[in-house]
Every structure is written in C-alpha cells, then in structure tokens.
Amino acid sequence: MQRPFIDAHVHLNTNTQAKLQLAAQYDAYFVSINTDIPFFIDLQAQREMINTLNQNTPRAFFITSFDTQYWNTPRWLPHAMEQIKAGIAAGAKGVKIWKNIGMDENLKDDQGNFVLLDDARFDPIFQYLSDAGIVLLNHQGEPRNCWLPLEEMTVASDREYFAAHPEYHMFKNKHYPAYETQMAARDRVLERFPKLNYVGLHLFSMEYDLEEVAKRLDRFPNSQTDLAERICHVQLQTMHNREKVRQFFIDYQDRILYGTDVIDDGSLTAEATAAKLEQLWQYHWEFFATDHLMEAAEFEGSFNGLKLPESILKKIFYSNAVSTYMLDVP
C-alpha cells in the first residue's frame, strides 16, 4: 500500500482515537470535509472537532463550508462570507458546497424556482475563491441513478441509499430539477469562473460514464475530481471495458484524488469505523494496484484490477491531494 497516503474525502465528526491509530499505522492522513448536512453536527462543531482530533495525533486536515441560514435576505451573503473566511483563517484547505444547492425545497428564489449553483447570488463567493486561489469542492446533484426507478439502478449501494432516503430519490420527486439541469448549472459556473480551482466530487456526479468525466476535465483545466463513494461505478465499467477505464486513469493521473467518503458520526463504534476504513483502503488498493480477479458487493460479475504503475498510484493516493489542497505533510 502507498505510504504515506491520503484519504481525501471523509467526515470525521466524533472525537474517537481508533481511526487516528489506524492512520498512524498506515502513515495515512485525512481530509475531513465539513458539510452543511442536517444530520451532521453544525459547521463550527465540525471544525472544532478536527482541532480536537489533531491535539494528540495530527493526521487530519479539513475543508470548510457555509450554510443557507439567511437565504433570501440581505444577511445571507455577509453571513456566508464570514463563515468562509473564518474557516480559512482556522486552517481550512478549501470550501465545500453540498447537493442541497439544487436539491432542497427550502432553497428557492422569489418565483418559487429551485436555486441552482449558477444562481447569481453565489457569484461573489466564486469570485472571492477564484481571486484568493482557494479551491472549491462541489457535490453537485447525485448519481444519475437517482433519477431512475430503484430496479433500474446500476449498483446496489444506490438502490439501498435511495430506498432509505426517498427525499433524495429524484425519480419520486419529479418537480425537482432534472439530472441534466443540475450538471448544466455546474458547467455554467465553471465557464463563468475559468480561474476557479475546482474539485468535482464523486467523479463530477457523472460516475456512470468516465468519458463524461474526461470531457469536464478537458473542458475545465483548473478542475480535479475525486473517487469518493463512486469506485464501484468505476469497477462496473471495468468489467465491461477494462482497458478503457485503465486508460482514463493514465490520461488523467494528475487530476484524480482518492477518498472513501466514510462518515464518522457515532453510528458505528470507534473500532468499527476504523475497521471499515481499513477494509476500504485495502480493497481499493487491490483494485488500483493489482490485476487480481475481483468482485464488488454492488453488482454481479467479476473484473480484473487495473494494475496502475506505481508512479500513478502515488499521485492518486497521495500527491494529487497534497498539491490540490496544499497540504503540509512530511
């Protein structure tokens, strides 16, 4: 396994030590992405949690965010900018925007339309981040499966998630913006702010086809992407055309970041969370580093690992995160 390596997409919201002990064992570091999610602790508490975790074993960096508490009032933008600047001053390595922009019934304009990422009210934030050289991380929309019936979804993890979270299953919420509308809004922002350093999380939410991800990476040269919670989609495509998938990682080796999207919120014990991280790290490494015949829990069938060159593995599992987020690691 690559050592040191970085899990560049987690949510560390509990003060437990097992995950840090595991990280020390693997010489691993975390990028914990603070997110305005209703069932998370609040943004300030998320930031303080990372400081607490780092007191004894400094293995975690964090990404800040902002909320929509005062939306549709004059207080919203000053409040959001204050949150962003406070997070950056506290050491944040970037700013996250979640899928609630475009997928929240409470975020609408005066005409009752859903607010999308390209709403002009976000422009001052994008301009500030662009001018300051601060990276924007964006979870835009959801996997395309979200707009399909459960039985037509391509992987079991999506079927299970959207069955448990029907409020986010867009097939059942047809008055919400379409998948294509969500993606187009994101693309328009990147066109308007070409100097913005951008990470399209979850394979730009275009996980179903790496050719679509490649088009965005080509079109927006200041963009990167991450693999968090979408590696099973990569494996599904590998089963059908391994060489095409492998070539994608060779061609875009400088633009891809590894991450698991593990949520450490207390729903599992500290030991179970650490075990989950270790299992994912080892399983994902096997897929990218070897050509072993493998299976995935999310779909039927087998596939061979990609066996990427060591130089590319180091980029995906370590150095791309270091350069994208300007991490000060040994």
Side-chain angles (χ1 to χ4, degrees):
M1 182 115 188
Q2 165 67 40
R3 295 172 188 258
F5 91 96
I6 296 171
D7 188 336
H9 191 139
V10 294
H11 304 278
L12 305 184
N13 293 338
T14 71
N15 183 19
T16 55
Q17 295 300 304
K19 57 184 175 284
L20 299 179
Q21 293 165 1
L22 177 74
Q25 175 186 337
Y26 278 82
D27 196 12
Y29 295 84
F30 299 106
V31 178
S32 187
I33 302 179
N34 296 359
T35 309
D36 182 28
I37 296 181
F39 52 86
F40 277 16
I41 56 177
D42 67 37
L43 289 172
Q44 183 173 345
Q46 291 177 54
R47 183 177 75 206
E48 292 172 352
M49 183 63 68
I50 300 304
N51 291 333
T52 300
L53 289 171
N54 280 335
Q55 285 178 358
N56 297 320
T57 309
R59 290 274 172 184
F61 302 92
F62 79 98
I63 304 297
T64 194
S65 191
F66 58 91
D67 60 41
T68 55
Q69 180 178 356
Y70 301 112
W71 188 251
N72 282 331
T73 77
R75 296 182 64 185
W76 174 76
L77 181 59
H79 171 70
M81 290 299 301
E82 181 181 354
Q83 288 180 300
I84 290 170
K85 291 179 179 179
I88 296 299
K93 301 300 182 180
V95 176
K96 162 79 175 288
I97 293 183
W98 192 49
K99 66 184 180 184
N100 58 333
I101 309 302
M103 300 188 74
D104 187 339
E105 284 272 17
N106 298 314
L107 289 176
K108 294 184 177 180
D109 61 23
D110 294 336
Q111 288 74 47
N113 301 310
F114 278 86
V115 170
L116 294 168
L117 195 67
D118 63 342
D119 188 293
R121 284 172 285 186
F122 294 114
D123 284 1
I125 292 176
F126 299 143
Q127 191 65 60
Y128 169 75
L129 299 178
S130 181
D131 292 343
I134 298 169
V135 65
L136 172 68
L137 297 79
N138 177 215
H139 178 166
Q140 181 66 30
E142 282 284 54
R144 192 178 64 164
N145 279 338
C146 178
W147 280 263
L148 299 175
L150 291 174
E151 63 273 15
E152 293 183 20
M153 293 184 182
T154 55
V155 296
S157 52
D158 283 347
R159 286 191 292 273
E160 293 165 1
Y161 178 82
F162 292 116
H165 296 88
E167 70 274 21
Y168 295 132
H169 187 189
M170 293 299 99
F171 179 76
K172 294 184 175 181
N173 296 278
K174 297 185 184 298
H175 62 291
Y176 279 63
Y179 172 79
E180 293 78 10
T181 302
Q182 298 272 4
M183 300 302 105
R186 184 266 321 285
D187 291 351
R188 284 192 292 271
V189 169
L190 296 180
E191 288 171 351
R192 290 210 305 260
F193 297 92
K195 295 182 180 179
L196 181 64
N197 293 320
Y198 178 86
V199 178
L201 300 173
H202 309 296
L203 288 171
F204 276 82
S205 291
M206 309 191 95
E207 70 299 314
Y208 70 97
D209 187 351
L210 292 179
E211 284 189 9
E212 292 298 324
V213 181
K215 289 177 184 177
R216 279 19 182 227
L217 292 170
D218 290 343
R219 185 174 168 189
F220 307 116
N222 286 330
S223 68
Q224 317 283 328
T225 193
D226 88 354
L227 298 165
E229 199 56 52
R230 301 296 184 266
I231 290 175
C232 64
H233 295 270
V234 175
Q235 292 170 330
L236 180 61
Q237 292 169 72
T238 300
M239 184 172 69
H240 297 299
N241 193 334
R242 178 180 179 271
E243 289 310 309
K244 179 180 177 181
V245 172
R246 191 172 187 273
Q247 192 62 47
F248 169 83
F249 285 92
I250 292 171
D251 291 344
Y252 298 98
Q253 59 186 272
D254 299 311
R255 315 276 296 279
I256 304 166
L257 287 67
Y258 173 73
T260 59
D261 204 14
V262 165
I263 298 174
D264 171 32
D265 61 359
S267 57
L268 299 176
T269 67
E271 292 72 23
T273 298
K276 181 178 182 179
L277 283 164
E278 185 172 29
Q279 184 272 326
L280 288 172
W281 292 349
Q282 292 180 347
Y283 176 67
H284 292 155
W285 180 259
E286 182 180 9
F287 171 61
F288 287 107
T290 80
D291 59 359
H292 295 171
L293 185 65
M294 302 179 67
E295 294 182 350
E298 292 85 359
F299 57 88
E300 295 182 358
S302 59
F303 50 89
N304 289 97
L306 298 180
K307 199 175 183 179
L308 295 171
E310 184 176 343
S311 60
I312 296 179
L313 293 168
K314 183 175 181 180
K315 291 177 180 180
I316 293 171
F317 282 85
Y318 180 71
S319 57
N320 288 348
V322 172
S323 58
T324 297
Y325 298 132
M326 295 184 287
L327 306 181
D328 48 340
V329 292

